[in-house]
Amino acid sequence: MSHEIDFAVQPRQTPPRGESVLSVRGLRTGFAAGRTTLTAVAGIDFTLHAGETFALLGESGCGKSVAALSLMRLLPPAGRILGGEVRFAGRDLLRLSEAEMRAVRGRGVSMIFQEPATSLNPVLRVGEQIIEALPGGMGRADARERALALLAAAGIADPARRIDAYPFQMSGGMKQRVMIAEALAGEPQVLIADEPTTALDVTIQAQILDLLARLQAERGMGILLITHDLGVVARAAQRVGVMYAGEIVEEAPRAMFFAAPRHPYTRKLFAALPDGVGRGHRLETIPGQVPPLSAMPAGCRFAPRCAHAETRCTLAAPAWREVAPGHRVRCHRVDEVALAASAVSAPLAAEMAASGTAQAAHVGSAASSQEFRIQEFTAQEAAVQVSAVQVSSIVPEGTEVGSALTAPSPLLEVRDLAVHFPIRQGWLRRAVGAVRAVDGVSLALERGRTLALVGESGCGKTSVGKAVLQLIASTAGEVKLDGRILTGLSRSALRPLRRRMQMVFQDPFASLNPRLSVGEIIAEGMQALGLGRAEASPAAAVAALLAQVGLDPAAAGRYPHEFSGGQRQRIAIARALAVQPELIVCDEPTSALDVSVQAQILNLLGSLQADLGLAYLLITHNFAVVEHLAHEVAVMYLGRIVERGTVGEVLHSPRHPYTQALLAAVPRIGSADEAPPPALSGEMPSPANPPAGCHFHPRCPRAGAECRTAYPAPVAVSATHTVYCVLNAR
Amino acid sequence: MNVLPVILWSDALVWLMALAALVLGLLSRRQPPLAAAWRRVGRSRPGMAAATVVAVFVVVGLLDSLHYRPALDTPAAGASAAPAYAIETLSVLDALAVPLRLRGEKTYSAPLATHAFAKETQEIRAADGSVQQVRDFPRLRFGGAHLLREEAPAEATDGDTANANAGVSRRTADPSATTDASPVSSAMAPSALPATSAMSEKAAALAAARQYDISRRVGVAVLSALIVWAGVVVWVVQLLARRESLAFAEVGRRLWRGETVFAWRAVLLTLAAIALVVAPMLALAGDYHVFGTDKVGQDVFYQVLKSVRTALVIGLVTTLTTLPLAIFFGLAAGYFRGWIDDLIQYLYTTLNSIPGVLLIAAAVLMMQVLIDTHPQWFATAAERADLRLLALCFILGLTSWTGLARLLRGEAMKLRELEFVQAAQSFGVSDLRIIARHILPNVMHIVVIALVMDFSSLVLAEAVLSYVGIGVDPTMISFGTMINNARLELAREPAVWWSLAAAFTFMVALVLAANLLADAVRDAFDARLVGSS
């Protein structure tokens, strides 16, 4: 109890900057599974200093969230802390009683979570939730005063009004601000932020990261930032620890980390980023996947996927090596890796051979543990297969594709498309208004090309995709596929056209029916559209499709839950390809995937386009993906396109203030040392009630009087580049 | 034996369901998620113990669902004549339980009694040939009749022995005729003293013999039960050892420590418990009334056994009626939305707003009138009772689909927004096919959970309805009718408690086991719980 009094009474002393506030030594955490315990965090060490942000970087399933929950001792029921030490304020948190620990949570260490929508209680006003988190012994009026101050500190405009709002009345960004206010209520010395911006748009992400940096500067907190996003690390962290399969494999100050990453895994992560690599270039990928907890390789855990692995890597776990002050790596072959990198193109053949044997070793270990794993073909292998098999057999009209490229009529033409969802009220359910999800969008897409539709969530880009496929009814406008009008067609009339356009969805876990085998999933479209594939039986067709997307044809008999996210996305692509479409609408095809897997999928999409002449309507919020895959870009804001042009034009010389703000908000790795540009303020208004005049004017830093009166007319900057902004007319 | 098989409607449905369960079981082996869920059920110890108990009840119910009419002995008729069959419809269970079914007493007798529960006036012929009237508890005709048998037949009056030897069913005997026929006569008084002492000696001897006989039988039964059980254990261990190619001792050790994947230990221990309870009951049932007899002298143990089928039919057939309605309406409302959703919602909110018991009572009474005005539809009383039972099931089913339908509607609304459904729509797959292929398999866990959870509530609903008098046919034995009949007996002094107690115990055992199984099934199938454990 004495500790509790300590926390409550003592005026908060900001620990001197640079002093260690949280130090973790040999933390090991596992999950009880039956009679065995699977180790998820295998002995990690790090120190967090006051006023510093330490980022734990890693792909999904590498144990970073489990590590954070272990620090708070908030593990799920099956979780067990197996050993180690967490020093905080002179005590070992792992040895405290639950009552003492409760005094530490919130007041010593507090936490914010990834999903602001679920981390607030929907039936309590936000003020009550913040007051609940305040230390006890405060009067009602004082507590409310304090909550107001916290909301203001968290950057909520008009806190006096917002304190009595319910979470559902707030946007995602505002909810995350409330969550931050709640986490600050106990004046913590350490804030653990578990993917705090992953569920948010780039502009909001920039706002939240700025907010965290400001709060840290004011309060001298230590922030443990858990993320998978190198961009977030570059923008927000001072030091970085890279986690892989439950271990920290590299630790470095930010500048050193981005300038000279040393561990092969880190280097591969950087190489897999689509950033900067131009369209048509193949991204580097990491073969295989993170090993399951039940089959951790002995020795270095990355060895089975590492191009530089040799015998000693599979035998003994590497020890820490300090390669520069503050820069530590766990790798047997740090020096060789650095050498290989300096000689720019290492002999590729040797690397391939090494990865081949590593792959075999991995498969062997998996088989011994009776864990089924589909051997994932590397992207190169898949590409070889595709070019060898597909061009001639699956698309017999392959030659026509080339000629169609030059033909004037586009494959897809959308004119003034509008999708309004009526808002019904009263008990007669009369429409009293409409959510204008899409409000007059025109697009054109030619064969073999990719058009990216970019915008923040809620701007209507997914509705455009679904309206194009006639999955939702359009309110006005027309969609033409190869000259045939789709809007207003009956179901039966649409049916023959359905095989010409397909969709790949965002969430590979929701887009495959868990009760059907992969073979049945892929064959469904062929059955529904009555397609007998020319060459052989459905089973053979399924096998060919699986090979085409780089999966083992034996996967047909398996069920979706046996596959990883990337493999599922391959299956979803195979399902779309099954009916030999000409147009594929890709709705955020990689946003649910890790960086290394994203690279595999982007490579696959690229090679399929090259080989089959597919046209992609790419819906995304990720500019790196746009840059890598797209030919043309259309930027959407509040149901309308605000700027359209080729990738080079829009991404490198954006003309619309919104596009400029979006691009500025994207955390760039290259600009790590520059001060980030000011984030775009405010949030997107409701599409049910768009602002008069230019939709963007309330957030636009350069808006003038004419912006408030009328929607701007299109301004042609070049033959292909159009922008809807009066600023460009002058 | 020459028999005419009779397939009652409920028999057909019960066996059809057993077959469907088998087919579903085989199908779910091919569906990995379902198979995994069933394996989780198999791992749950309370679940498997409960399943064992339920299985015993199901076996009793299935045996009671094979009906036939025995051929009548017609010595006069030649071979050419068509064989005549008894009007009484019997089941295999009846055939196995002949001693229970035919050995009716005159009226109440306590469990394991040798004498009736009420005193009667008997005429006893003394050694000198004079007839004395004695008022005492008479020996039962069958209950413990084998004890000290050499004296008993000689002592009994002619009328009684004749009656007993004939062994005609209890229906012919008029219980009121002999009981308390006359007031105690004063002539009895002089010789009362020596007679009573002799009688009390005899009674003591009889009580001792009964005590000895019962403990001997129970001892033998327990021993043989344990031997049989040990045999079963050895057989299971051998089977496992062969399947997993492990040493016999190793498998035995694992099984003993409960380390097998399937909860074998729970199953075997439950079997042991069942065997230890059932074996003595069976050993005693031949010559005693284990649970006593009811007002008309029928063995309560027999009634309990017959009630099991009624309960199972009510539980299962009602669910069979409920499921298609609930699944169809629920999924259609959730998937199509719009006016279809409105229509279905209005339908079930209307149904829900009428008090359930009143609705059921009205329907049952109408159906009863229909049955009573058309006696020509039924060849036997059993057929009539059976149809009434089925009608009750359908009425219960038609009024109880709303809960599950609402659950499924919500789930379908969630699923239709999922991307695999949209992917199917983008292929132009028809709506009904999407429902059948993409939605239904993904709500099956809810259906399974609802199925096992509803079962027990329906068994209880039958008891309540029969108690109120709108349940099954009065001639049909069910837990509800047993409890209803036992209601007045509790008011007697001393109370006749065994009928109610037996019905209650068995019903609770069945419902509790079904509920525990339902819990295990829910835990295994509910995705959210699976994730946490």
Side-chain angles (χ1 to χ4, degrees):
Chain A
M1 288 313 283
S2 63
H3 309 299
E4 201 170 20
I5 292 162
D6 273 354
F7 280 111
V9 174
Q10 250 182 19
R12 200 121 304 248
Q13 288 283 318
T14 325
R17 220 155 263 269
E19 189 178 290
S20 146
V21 282
L22 183 77
S23 110
V24 178
R25 291 284 159 263
L27 176 68
R28 294 177 66 241
T29 307
F31 287 97
R35 278 161 203 287
T36 56
T37 305
L38 301 174
T39 311
V41 176
I44 58 170
D45 309 294
F46 64 86
T47 306
L48 181 64
H49 303 290
E52 175 198 56
T53 301
F54 180 74
L56 264 188
L57 174 79
E59 294 184 281
S60 53
C62 70
K64 52 191 193 303
S65 288
V66 179
L69 290 172
S70 314
L71 300 185
M72 295 288 276
R73 297 226 331 240
L74 286 174
L75 286 170
R80 307 268 182 281
I81 293 175
L82 305 171
E85 188 186 71
V86 178
R87 285 254 152 227
F88 173 75
R91 288 177 298 163
D92 183 0
L93 293 188
L94 301 183
R95 311 229 182 290
L96 294 188
S97 70
E98 185 56 32
E100 290 169 319
M101 191 63 211
R102 219 173 297 138
V104 172
R105 289 189 201 120
R107 299 183 210 165
V109 185
S110 66
M111 190 157 179
I112 51 177
F113 299 93
Q114 172 174 353
E115 189 52 75
T118 53
S119 44
L120 290 174
N121 184 342
V123 297
L124 286 183
R125 295 171 201 276
V126 297
E128 294 171 49
Q129 302 190 47
I130 294 173
I131 289 169
E132 192 180 54
L134 286 171
M138 214 181 261
R140 262 190 83 78
D142 287 347
R144 196 176 161 85
E145 204 60 33
R146 186 93 189 83
L148 281 171
L150 283 167
L151 281 175
I156 296 251
D158 197 3
R161 196 166 58 85
R162 286 299 180 179
I163 194 170
D164 289 322
Y166 286 96
F168 71 87
Q169 295 168 310
M170 302 185 139
S171 67
M174 267 207 284
K175 278 186 233 171
Q176 196 62 301
R177 287 173 188 275
V178 170
M179 198 58 219
I180 290 172
E182 204 175 319
L184 294 179
E187 302 265 325
Q189 292 167 29
V190 173
L191 180 67
I192 300 175
D194 187 359
E195 305 267 10
T197 58
T198 306
L200 306 173
D201 283 314
V202 270
T203 56
I204 310 298
Q205 162 171 304
Q207 291 172 9
I208 296 290
L209 292 180
D210 286 351
L211 170 67
L212 286 176
R214 202 191 77 218
L215 291 170
Q216 182 178 39
E218 286 168 12
R219 292 161 191 252
M221 291 183 299
I223 296 183
L224 177 62
L225 178 69
I226 290 162
T227 184
H228 69 278
D229 189 340
L230 280 166
V232 169
V233 173
R235 183 163 186 143
Q238 276 100 48
R239 282 193 310 127
V240 188
V242 179
M243 273 193 92
Y244 180 78
E247 290 176 338
I248 294 185
V249 294
E250 180 164 5
E251 193 188 313
R254 176 180 58 181
M256 220 178 279
F257 179 74
F258 284 100
R262 300 299 293 270
H263 196 278
Y265 173 65
T266 323
R267 304 176 75 92
K268 281 282 188 185
L269 276 187
F270 276 101
L273 277 184
D275 236 14
V277 185
R279 181 164 37 77
H281 289 82
R282 197 154 268 295
L283 296 169
E284 249 193 271
T285 60
I286 310 179
Q289 49 196 296
V290 180
L293 297 185
S294 53
M296 274 298 163
C300 173
R301 296 188 165 188
F302 187 60
R305 302 172 70 189
C306 181
H308 305 282
E310 54 179 26
T311 327
R312 68 177 155 154
C313 298
T314 59
L315 294 178
W320 280 111
R321 291 227 347 234
E322 184 127 12
V323 292
H327 191 166
R328 304 190 297 159
V329 185
R330 285 179 76 164
C331 178
H332 287 302
R333 306 195 62 200
V334 190
D335 307 324
E336 293 93 321
V337 171
L339 275 176
S342 60
V344 176
S345 69
L348 195 71
E351 199 168 310
M352 287 296 288
S355 86
T357 52
Q359 185 92 340
H362 174 54
V363 168
S365 71
S368 68
S369 68
Q370 298 196 327
E371 182 92 13
F372 176 80
R373 293 271 143 202
I374 297 287
Q375 178 178 351
E376 202 163 334
F377 285 42
T378 60
Q380 285 91 341
E381 281 170 291
V384 170
Q385 292 224 352
V386 169
S387 51
V389 181
Q390 300 307 331
V391 180
S392 56
S393 66
I394 291 191
V395 183
E397 64 270 58
T399 46
E400 292 162 40
V401 171
S403 61
L405 271 172
T406 54
S409 85
L411 174 65
L412 174 74
E413 200 176 351
V414 177
R415 193 173 303 151
D416 298 327
L417 181 71
V419 178
H420 294 181
F421 298 109
I423 304 169
R424 297 180 189 278
Q425 269 177 4
W427 80 283
L428 283 177
R429 322 290 305 143
R430 246 181 323 193
V432 294
V435 174
R436 296 156 177 239
V438 181
D439 199 20
V441 163
S442 302
L443 300 168
L445 174 60
E446 285 168 15
R447 285 172 206 274
R449 307 273 285 176
T450 302
L451 170 65
L453 207 51
V454 194
E456 292 178 278
S457 57
C459 73
K461 54 192 193 301
T462 297
S463 297
V464 171
K466 288 185 177 166
V468 164
L469 289 181
Q470 306 298 311
L471 287 177
I472 50 179
S474 50
T475 314
E478 60 179 30
V479 177
K480 274 201 241 173
L481 183 73
D482 211 7
R484 289 197 56 183
I485 298 177
L486 300 182
T487 35
L489 283 187
S490 70
R491 286 179 74 128
S492 50
L494 261 176
R495 196 174 258 253
L497 292 168
R498 288 235 178 255
R499 58 154 289 222
R500 306 182 62 177
M501 47 183 196
Q502 277 304 312
M503 188 154 184
V504 173
F505 295 91
Q506 171 175 6
D507 182 358
F509 291 86
S511 68
L512 304 179
N513 186 345
R515 310 274 172 188
L516 294 183
S517 74
V518 169
E520 289 171 305
I521 289 172
I522 294 176
E524 175 166 54
M526 293 189 262
Q527 284 166 11
L529 297 177
L531 294 182
R533 289 176 65 110
E535 72 265 45
S537 64
V542 168
L545 284 161
L546 283 171
Q548 192 171 5
V549 296
L551 288 174
D552 186 349
R558 303 276 160 186
Y559 284 79
H561 69 91
E562 296 170 63
F563 297 88
S564 67
Q567 289 171 328
R568 282 162 174 247
Q569 201 62 304
R570 286 171 190 265
I571 295 167
I573 293 172
R575 170 177 62 188
L577 288 180
V579 294
Q580 302 163 33
E582 294 152 60
L583 167 69
I584 296 186
V585 177
C586 301
D587 186 2
E588 307 263 16
T590 60
S591 67
L593 304 175
D594 282 317
V595 181
S596 64
V597 183
Q598 163 172 301
Q600 294 172 6
I601 297 297
L602 292 180
N603 283 345
L604 175 64
L605 287 174
S607 63
L608 287 174
Q609 182 168 50
D611 297 330
L612 306 179
L614 296 171
Y616 294 136
L617 179 60
L618 178 70
I619 295 165
T620 186
H621 64 271
N622 187 339
F623 279 101
V625 171
V626 172
E627 197 167 6
H628 182 72
L629 214 55
H631 300 87
E632 286 137 82
V633 187
V635 181
M636 266 187 93
Y637 187 75
L638 217 55
R640 294 191 184 176
I641 287 175
V642 295
E643 184 164 7
R644 177 194 309 140
T646 63
V647 167
E649 288 164 344
V650 174
L651 263 51
H652 298 303
S653 55
R655 304 302 287 267
H656 197 282
Y658 177 62
T659 318
Q660 291 164 353
L662 266 186
L663 285 166
V666 176
R668 294 257 166 185
I669 292 163
S671 63
D673 291 328
E674 302 159 22
L680 186 63
S681 65
E683 288 170 15
M684 200 190 300
S686 158
N689 190 17
C694 173
H695 288 172
F696 187 60
H697 83 259
R699 296 172 75 188
C700 184
R702 292 152 64 196
E706 56 189 321
C707 296
R708 295 189 185 89
T709 48
Y711 198 81
V715 178
V717 181
S718 74
T720 51
H721 193 177
T722 313
V723 59
Y724 292 75
C725 180
V726 290
L727 297 168
N728 290 281
R730 296 188 199 114
Chain B
M1 193 169 143
N2 215 351
V3 294
L4 174 71
V6 177
I7 298 176
L8 298 177
W9 277 105
S10 58
D11 292 346
L13 288 172
V14 163
W15 282 101
L16 213 66
M17 244 168 333
L19 198 72
L22 206 71
V23 170
L24 268 180
L26 288 177
L27 279 183
S28 61
R29 282 170 70 103
R30 283 187 39 219
Q31 281 260 336
L34 279 182
W38 283 117
R39 271 198 296 277
R40 280 196 291 274
V41 176
R43 272 205 291 273
S44 149
R45 274 171 298 215
M48 286 327 288
T52 315
V53 176
V54 171
V56 171
F57 279 106
V58 167
V59 167
V60 171
L62 286 179
L63 282 180
D64 203 8
S65 298
L66 289 170
H67 283 100
Y68 66 92
R69 282 162 70 179
L72 287 179
D73 292 333
T74 43
S80 58
Y85 294 101
I87 194 83
E88 204 172 13
T89 310
L90 297 175
S91 72
V92 173
L93 181 76
D94 292 331
L96 293 176
V98 160
L100 294 177
R101 184 166 58 91
L102 293 182
R103 298 186 183 178
E105 302 295 340
K106 272 189 286 190
T107 179
Y108 295 119
S109 69
L112 300 176
T114 52
H115 290 86
F117 185 62
K119 280 187 178 175
E120 281 177 27
T121 306
Q122 295 166 304
E123 289 186 341
I124 291 178
R125 206 182 301 272
D128 56 358
S130 68
V131 172
Q132 270 189 338
Q133 278 200 332
V134 177
R135 185 165 166 73
D136 196 6
F137 300 105
R139 281 292 296 271
L140 293 175
R141 263 182 257 154
F142 301 103
H146 62 295
L147 299 172
L148 307 177
R149 182 179 283 275
E150 57 278 36
E151 305 154 51
E155 303 263 318
T157 52
D158 288 340
D160 266 351
T161 28
N163 214 345
N165 288 346
V168 200
S169 81
R170 65 205 149 70
R171 289 168 211 280
T172 52
D174 186 359
S176 63
T178 40
T179 36
D180 274 347
S182 55
V184 182
S185 81
S186 52
M188 216 175 101
S191 61
L193 219 120
T196 43
S197 72
M199 276 166 74
S200 69
E201 248 168 60
K202 232 191 287 175
L206 185 65
R210 169 173 164 270
Q211 200 75 37
Y212 169 74
D213 187 48
I214 289 177
S215 26
R216 188 179 57 84
R217 282 169 188 245
V218 169
V220 170
V222 164
L223 264 183
S224 47
L226 284 178
I227 290 168
V228 170
W229 180 71
V232 170
V233 172
V234 167
W235 180 69
V236 166
V237 172
Q238 246 167 6
L239 201 76
L240 287 178
R242 200 170 326 133
R243 200 193 308 161
E244 293 172 22
S245 52
L246 282 169
F248 186 87
E250 169 66 12
V251 173
R253 192 187 60 82
R254 281 193 196 179
L255 195 135
W256 178 249
R257 295 195 184 171
E259 288 171 7
T260 46
V261 177
F262 185 82
W264 275 113
R265 190 173 61 162
V267 169
L268 290 173
L269 287 180
T270 316
L271 274 181
I274 293 173
L276 287 181
V277 172
V278 169
M281 268 168 23
L282 291 182
L284 291 170
D287 289 303
Y288 296 93
H289 301 293
V290 182
F291 291 116
T293 54
D294 73 347
K295 186 172 181 179
V296 290
Q298 199 178 28
D299 193 294
V300 172
F301 187 38
Y302 174 70
Q303 290 183 332
V304 164
L305 289 180
K306 293 293 279 183
S307 301
V308 170
R309 173 180 187 268
T310 316
L312 288 176
V313 168
I314 292 263
L316 293 176
V317 176
T318 308
T319 349
L320 198 73
T321 324
T322 315
L323 279 189
L325 286 171
I327 290 177
F328 178 77
F329 283 128
L331 294 187
Y335 180 78
F336 291 110
R337 308 295 314 271
W339 64 270
I340 298 179
D341 187 20
D342 288 346
L343 198 74
I344 292 169
Q345 277 198 73
Y346 282 126
L347 187 66
Y348 71 60
T349 37
T350 311
L351 260 181
N352 263 0
S353 56
I354 304 170
V357 175
L358 286 189
L359 198 66
I360 293 167
V364 168
L365 290 175
M366 280 194 310
M367 185 244 344
Q368 210 167 322
V369 169
L370 187 77
I371 287 177
D372 288 349
T373 48
H374 296 87
Q376 71 277 11
W377 288 354
F378 312 103
T380 58
E383 272 178 43
R384 197 191 64 208
D386 184 66
L387 198 82
R388 205 175 143 173
L389 174 68
L390 279 191
L392 180 70
C393 290
F394 285 124
I395 290 163
L396 274 174
L398 286 175
T399 52
S400 63
W401 56 272
T402 53
L404 179 58
R406 199 164 10 195
L407 266 180
L408 293 180
R409 171 177 172 268
E411 198 63 20
M413 278 165 68
K414 201 177 83 190
L415 286 172
R416 75 191 281 271
E417 297 301 332
L418 282 189
E419 291 167 345
F420 62 80
V421 173
Q422 292 182 3
Q425 284 168 344
S426 79
F427 285 125
V429 180
S430 71
D431 288 330
L432 282 180
R433 198 170 156 74
I434 289 179
I435 289 182
R437 228 171 119 86
H438 293 290
I439 309 244
L440 182 59
N442 283 298
V443 297
M444 267 331 262
H445 63 286
I446 297 182
V447 172
V448 171
I449 292 167
L451 204 140
V452 279
M453 302 267 281
D454 282 358
F455 172 80
S456 46
S457 66
L458 288 168
V459 172
L460 295 178
E462 186 274 330
V464 171
L465 291 177
S466 294
Y467 181 81
V468 179
I470 52 174
V472 296
D473 194 88
T475 62
M476 173 160 270
I477 304 168
S478 78
F479 289 129
T481 49
M482 282 179 75
I483 291 172
N484 188 25
N485 291 338
R487 181 170 49 136
L488 294 172
E489 299 163 2
L490 279 183
R492 286 175 65 112
E493 181 56 39
V496 176
W497 49 269
W498 48 84
S499 197
L500 188 73
F504 194 78
T505 312
F506 275 74
M507 188 167 72
V508 166
L510 175 62
V511 169
L512 188 67
N515 273 341
L516 285 175
L517 180 61
D519 276 350
V521 169
R522 191 197 50 210
D523 289 354
F525 277 79
D526 199 322
R528 280 168 303 171
L529 294 175
V530 169
S532 69
S533 62

